[in-house]
Amino acid sequence: MSINIIENELWPILVDTVQSLILYQHHKAYVRDVLLPDKPESSPRDLTLDLGISLGEAMVILFELRHEEDKLKGAS
């Protein structure tokens, strides 16, 4: 995901909105545990089709999961 997206002033608003969705944590866990192990290069568009979620939610999920992964790699 482009760094320009997270530098946009609307990015924190999108993240806050997405994280307030009732099923957000379940969608994120499903992507982490089921979808990404099989298709690690999934795009936000792939998630919208696979899960029927909004593009914004898919963008936030992938950003957060990939950021968490990078932090884990950096810590080891």
Side-chain angles (χ1 to χ4, degrees):
M1 185 166 311
S2 172
I3 192 72
N4 294 335
I5 292 172
I6 63 170
E7 291 176 355
N8 186 296
E9 63 188 34
L10 295 176
W11 178 253
I13 296 169
L14 176 63
V15 171
D16 187 49
T17 302
V18 165
Q19 289 177 344
S20 71
L21 298 172
I22 293 171
L23 291 175
Y24 170 72
Q25 290 298 329
H26 298 287
H27 290 157
K28 184 177 175 182
Y30 183 79
V31 170
R32 180 188 60 236
D33 299 338
V34 177
L35 294 181
L36 285 183
D38 291 337
K39 297 189 284 185
E41 297 303 318
S42 292
S43 71
R45 291 249 183 246
D46 295 333
L47 296 188
T48 63
L49 296 173
D50 291 343
L51 296 176
I53 61 176
S54 72
L55 182 58
E57 183 177 4
M59 290 168 57
V60 171
I61 288 172
L62 284 178
F63 174 80
E64 289 185 351
L65 290 175
R66 290 183 175 147
H67 185 70
E68 290 169 9
E69 183 180 310
D70 290 344
K71 285 174 76 174
L72 287 175
K73 285 181 183 176
S76 56

